[in-house]
Amino acid sequence: MSPGLKSSPNPRDEEAFDASLRAIVQAFEVGATRPDELPALAELARLVGSGASLEAIRPRFQRLSFDGYLRGALTTVAQSMLAAPRGELALLLARQLIDAIDPDRGLALARAALTLPEVVRHHREISSAYVQINLLVAETMLGRGRVPEARRHFEAILAVDVDHPRGLRGWSECVQKLEERGVETRHRSRGLALLDGLDEVELERNLAGDRYELGRPLGRGRHAVVYEAYDRHVGRQVALKRLLGARPNTDRTTARAIEARFFAEAKTLSRVRSPYVVALLDAQPRHHFIALELCRGGNLRLALRRGQVDAADVPRIAEQLKRALASVHAISAVHRDIKPANILVRDTHADAPIALADFGLALREGPSPGVGAAGTLRYLAPELRRGAEANAATDRFAAGIVLLEIALAPKPLPSLFDLLDISDQAPSFVPTDNLPDPWPATLCALLSTEPEARQW
C-alpha cells in the first residue's frame, strides 16, 4: 500500500472543516447579498436548512451564481453547513471555488470534507461523495504540479472503483510524471487487488517485438489482465488481453486447458463479423496475448452502477445485442456467458453503442461431451440449471435477463435469479409501465421456460 493511502478515511477533523467554512464566510461576506435582502437567497437558505436534496439545491445555487450573487450563495451555504455539515454540499462549494473564485480555499474545504462522518460512512460506494471529492482534489493537485499528493487521492478512488476512467488516467499521468523526475515507481503498490502479481507484465515493455506500448490496466479476471496499449505499427490504441501465468498450485493439465480456452476466444472472434461484437486485431500465442479493439466506455455493469442506463435504453441496447448474438449464432457458436460485465460500451458519451466481448467460454453449438454449464447463475436459462446443453436459445435467455436488469434499474434483479430453481417466474418481473411496446412482450418471450419461444 502506498504511503498515505489508508484502508478507510480518518474520523472527522471538526476543527479543520469548520475552519474552512469560517474562512469562506469571512472572505466573501463583506459586500455579499444576504438572504434577508433577496428572496432567492432566502429560499436557498431554507432548502439547505431543511435538508433538501442536492438536486433541489444545485440549480438554485447555479442560478444565483449566474445572476451575480455567487458571494451571497457561497456564504449562505457555508454558514448553514457550520450547523449541519453535508459532504455533497461541501463538494458543490469546493468545485465552485476551485473553478471560479478561490482555488486555495476550495481545495482546503474539499480535503477537510473527506473526513465528514457521512462521507466516511459511504466511502466504499462507487458514486459516493467520497469518490467525487477525491477526484476533485486529485485533479486540482495534479494541475498544480503536486504529483505525489495527487497520486494518493487517485489511488483512493481506484481502491473503490478499479475501473474509474478519470481515476485511472490521472493515476497513470502521476506515475509518468514521477518517473520523468527520476522517482522509482515500478515496484510500488497501488493498494489494489487488480495489480496483484502484475509486476512481471509491467516489466515487459518490449512486448511482441516492441510493437505494443503497454498503458494503464483496464481490468483483471481470474486468468487474464487487460491493458490499454498503443499499437506502434498502425498508430492506434487497443485493448491488450494478456494471459497470466498459472498459479503455483495449478496442475499442468489445467494450465494447458486455461491457455487453450484463452486462444479459443481469438479463433471465435476471428470468424464473427458484427459492429456489435468486439473486433480481434491481433493474436500472439508465443507472447500469450490477444489484441482487441478498445472500448472506452467501460461495460454495462459499470453503467448500471453509475445510473447511466435505464429502461429508456432497453430498445436500443436490445437491438444491438440481438444483432451481436445473431452474428455469433450464424457461425454455429454459443457465447455461454452473456452478462453486463461482458457487454462493453464503445465510448464515454451517452447512447454509445455496445460491443459483446469475452468469448472465453464460447463453444460450437451442439453436444459438447465433458463440458458442463458455464456462466453466472443468475443469467442461466432454466434448462442449463438442470444440466442441458447450451445453445442459441440459452444465450437469448441470458440476454433477456440483462435487458430485464436494465429495465428494473436502479433496483437490482430480484434474488430469485440467484436460486437454482427459478421455474417459470422470470417473466412475472418484467415491468409494463416504463417500457414501450412491444418490449414487455418481447422480454417475456426471451424469459420463457420454452426455448423455442425465445424470439426477439
Side-chain angles (χ1 to χ4, degrees), residues 283-303:
Q284 296 280 349
R286 186 165 68 89
H287 295 283
H288 296 94
F289 77 82
I290 61 176
L292 307 165
E293 63 175 320
L294 179 64
C295 295
R296 298 185 179 277
N299 58 47
L300 273 184
R301 170 59 61 217
L302 290 171

Side-chain angles (χ1 to χ4, degrees), residues 101-123:
I101 191 167
D102 194 333
D104 288 334
R105 286 193 173 88
L107 188 58
L109 177 63
R111 297 186 72 178
L114 287 171
T115 66
L116 289 173
E118 66 163 297
V119 174
V120 173
R121 189 162 50 249
H122 301 286
H123 78 278

Side-chain angles (χ1 to χ4, degrees), residues 309-376:
V309 294
D310 56 26
D313 297 288
V314 166
R316 173 180 64 86
I317 293 174
E319 180 60 32
Q320 295 172 12
L321 190 52
K322 173 184 176 180
R323 292 174 63 180
L325 284 178
S327 66
V328 174
H329 299 156
I331 63 167
S332 299
V334 185
H335 188 281
R336 295 206 307 159
D337 200 17
I338 305 295
K339 58 184 179 183
N342 289 341
I343 300 171
L344 304 182
V345 182
R346 288 194 176 276
D347 214 329
T348 56
H349 62 76
D351 299 332
I354 63 166
L356 184 59
D358 205 333
F359 283 71
L361 297 180
L363 292 173
R364 290 189 62 82
E365 190 167 18
S368 302
V371 177
T376 305

Side-chain angles (χ1 to χ4, degrees), residues 207-219:
L207 185 65
D210 211 26
R211 174 172 179 173
Y212 296 99
E213 178 184 339
L214 290 180
R216 63 189 178 95
L218 300 175

